[in-house]
Amino acid sequence: MSHPIEERLRDAYQAKAGQLTEARLDQLTAAREHGLDELLGTEHTAELPIVDTAPNRRQHRWLAPGLAAAAIAAVAVGAVMIATGQPDSRPHPHPAATHVSSPPTSAPTPAPTASQTHGQPVAAPPYLPAGQTGSRDQVPWSAVGSGWRLLQRQNPGDYATYDRKLYLYDPAGGRYLITDALPVQSRLLAWSPDGQRAMVQMLNDGRFRQFDLRTGNVVSTATLPQAAFTTYTTPRGLAMVMVDDSNPVKPQFKRFATDGTLELTYSNPALLTTERVLYTPDGTELIGDTSSATVLLGNDGHLIRQFPVPAGYSRCYVLKWWTESAVLEVCSNNLSFSALFVQQVAGGSPSRLTSGNGKYGMGYANGWRLSNGDVLLENISGCGDAGYQVLATDGTIHPLRLPAGVTEPGYIANMDGDLATFLQRNFPGCGGTNRPRYSLIDYNMVTGQTRTLLDGLAVIVGWPGDQG
């Protein structure tokens, strides 16, 4: 019989796969400008169709061990390893109060400022004030990047259905209507790595459609009724990785072009078994899990490296990019305890990020780097929301001070850099009510700025390079 935590851990792996940083994008762009595209004859080898040579190998998807529900989000890249330490039960103020000298680096992007072109100042278009709505034509596209989010509301009174409007939110809280003609019963899935397109899925027939964010037009359609979207390919999102459940006994990990054309079935020697993979920034390699280990694969599916499991743990599962050369993973033991480790892609033993037991003695489910050097940690519990703690730069662990309007223990529905979007609801933990009420509250973890994003529920997808 499965432990209740196992069911929560499965939810933690439904978030979107890692994306690339803007710095790495610049490097890739420079490389292409020096002839890479001419040499390859296409955008990148990572997104070329590859003929599958072993499509019928058996594949079994892992059903993950104990981990609390994780927030939906996009994956980020950091730069500094964080020291670890034992839990500290002393009251601790919000990170903003203890790191006042550290300016936020991944907080919502400030309003665009004037720039110089041939010696003449060029004023960038301002953001809309919080709460105001603009049109697609008003989007300052040159400023769209870190801190921006795509949002699709769930319909009040029936949160299993979704609104037909797709909005682009700027970092100041203004919103721009991209389209009001999403297909009926379609759900926002992902934002392409190049920032140009959004993927939605029709829940009634399994079709996938891409919308051009600048025009609002459909640019591709794929009919894959028994496939679950996992991630866009990197660096530009010319294809998508899916889990094909057409044979429930042997679900298969596959790569499709955005029009539904099959490019590759991942098979021996590494049978991917989870619904999360992380592409390297250049798209030539990807990290995923098999039934026994986390592995690094070539884009054609060949095994490059298997990563070790730390002593005392039975299994590790990849979560997100932690730096440009390392990933964050959660490792579990047979006692339903989980800890976070940082694994270098080049190999070697992972380094432990958390050494505490967490609020409930079951360890931690996830972590997010903050711009002041702290790490936000998600606790694991046996039931309901488990709350959060802060791993400070000195290695001590403290409770997170929740924003005004959010009741204990708090649940983060989306994380973009320092910006946490809390889901506030009128029932705690595993309980429920006949008439639930929800609101989404934005909270900057470093500056302490708080504002209500909207009343109700929504699907939120952050800028592809932001932390999730």
Side-chain angles (χ1 to χ4, degrees):
M1 181 177 297
S2 64
H3 193 281
I5 305 304
E6 296 178 359
E7 298 173 2
R8 302 216 20 108
L9 180 54
R10 285 199 296 268
D11 295 338
Y13 290 92
Q14 305 304 311
K16 279 167 282 301
Q19 308 292 343
L20 63 164
T21 62
E22 295 180 11
R24 187 60 174 153
L25 271 172
D26 292 339
Q27 295 173 11
L28 292 168
T29 302
R32 288 195 295 270
E33 289 176 352
H34 284 82
L36 183 58
D37 287 340
E38 279 189 19
L39 177 63
L40 298 177
T42 185
E43 288 179 310
H44 205 283
T45 54
E47 297 180 339
L48 281 173
I50 297 177
V51 177
D52 177 31
T53 57
N56 297 316
R57 301 290 295 185
R58 291 179 59 84
Q59 178 169 331
H60 303 279
R61 208 169 345 160
W62 162 72
L63 298 180
L67 184 61
I72 296 175
V75 174
V77 179
V80 183
M81 292 294 295
I82 307 297
T84 62
Q86 298 299 322
D88 188 338
S89 59
R90 297 171 297 166
H92 185 65
H94 188 271
T98 60
H99 295 269
V100 293
S101 61
S102 300
T105 58
S106 55
T109 308
T113 57
S115 59
Q116 294 284 332
T117 301
H118 302 297
Q120 299 297 320
V122 178
Y127 293 153
L128 288 173
Q132 289 197 16
T133 301
S135 68
R136 185 175 59 241
D137 294 337
Q138 291 175 277
V139 176
W141 291 108
S142 61
V144 175
S146 181
W148 288 72
R149 293 172 290 174
L150 289 173
L151 187 145
Q152 179 192 21
R153 294 195 64 159
Q154 293 173 251
N155 292 326
D158 182 5
Y159 290 112
T161 62
Y162 300 87
D163 195 85
R164 298 187 66 186
K165 296 178 181 178
L166 177 64
Y167 290 97
L168 178 62
Y169 274 70
D170 66 32
R175 65 181 188 177
Y176 307 82
L177 179 61
I178 298 300
T179 180
D180 59 1
L182 292 178
V184 175
Q185 266 300 76
S186 62
R187 185 183 189 277
L188 173 64
L189 294 177
W191 194 344
S192 66
D194 62 7
Q196 302 297 310
R197 291 158 286 127
M199 180 71 71
V200 302
Q201 179 183 12
M202 277 62 73
L203 302 180
N204 56 347
D205 63 8
R207 284 180 296 164
F208 296 84
R209 286 183 179 174
Q210 277 196 119
F211 284 82
D212 185 301
L213 296 178
R214 290 178 181 260
T215 66
N217 296 330
V218 176
V219 293
S220 71
T221 299
T223 302
L224 302 165
Q226 293 178 293
F229 182 92
T230 299
T231 182
Y232 273 111
T233 56
T234 296
R236 292 174 58 178
L238 302 186
M240 50 192 181
V241 176
M242 317 278 279
V243 176
D244 185 352
D245 285 320
S246 56
N247 183 343
V249 178
K250 297 187 296 182
Q252 292 182 300
F253 220 67
K254 297 180 178 181
R255 189 176 73 234
F256 294 90
T258 55
D259 65 0
T261 302
L262 178 64
E263 292 184 354
L264 176 69
T265 297
Y266 292 89
S267 55
N268 197 52
L271 304 178
L272 292 178
T273 56
T274 70
E275 294 173 356
R276 171 186 290 274
V277 292
L278 306 179
Y279 272 95
T280 56
D282 62 5
T284 59
E285 299 171 345
L286 63 157
I287 299 173
D289 299 314
T290 71
S291 58
S292 60
T294 299
V295 295
L296 176 69
L297 305 178
N299 191 54
D300 61 357
H302 76 278
L303 178 65
I304 298 175
R305 183 173 297 112
Q306 178 173 311
F307 298 107
V309 176
Y313 291 84
S314 57
R315 197 62 184 84
C316 296
Y317 306 94
V318 66
L319 291 173
K320 66 186 66 175
W321 284 103
W322 199 243
T323 71
E324 286 192 344
S325 58
V327 296
L328 181 69
E329 58 184 2
V330 58
C331 300
S332 303
N333 61 26
N334 295 325
L335 301 176
S336 296
F337 178 86
S338 296
L340 300 176
F341 287 80
V342 177
Q343 173 65 60
Q344 296 294 321
V345 177
S349 298
S351 59
R352 186 163 182 158
L353 180 68
T354 58
S355 57
N357 294 325
K359 184 177 180 179
Y360 300 101
M362 302 181 70
Y364 297 99
N366 210 337
W368 296 267
R369 301 174 67 100
L370 303 178
S371 65
N372 61 9
D374 291 345
V375 175
L376 177 66
L377 302 174
E378 181 185 8
N379 288 293
I380 296 176
S381 75
C383 177
D385 303 332
Y388 304 87
Q389 294 175 309
V390 175
L391 172 61
T393 53
D394 63 3
T396 56
I397 297 178
H398 313 278
L400 171 68
R401 190 176 73 186
L402 295 173
V406 175
T407 55
E408 292 285 352
Y411 174 74
I412 295 175
N414 188 72
M415 192 79 187
D416 282 290
D418 292 335
L419 186 64
T421 302
F422 279 85
L423 172 63
Q424 174 60 21
R425 47 197 169 194
N426 67 334
F427 60 91
C430 293
T433 68
N434 292 329
R435 302 177 67 86
R437 296 188 304 274
Y438 301 94
S439 61
L440 293 171
I441 298 174
D442 281 344
Y443 183 41
N444 189 297
M445 290 284 182
V446 171
T447 68
Q449 181 182 10
T450 304
R451 66 167 170 252
T452 299
L453 179 64
L454 56 85
D455 291 324
L457 291 178
V459 179
I460 304 172
V461 176
W463 174 252
D466 284 351
Q467 188 166 333

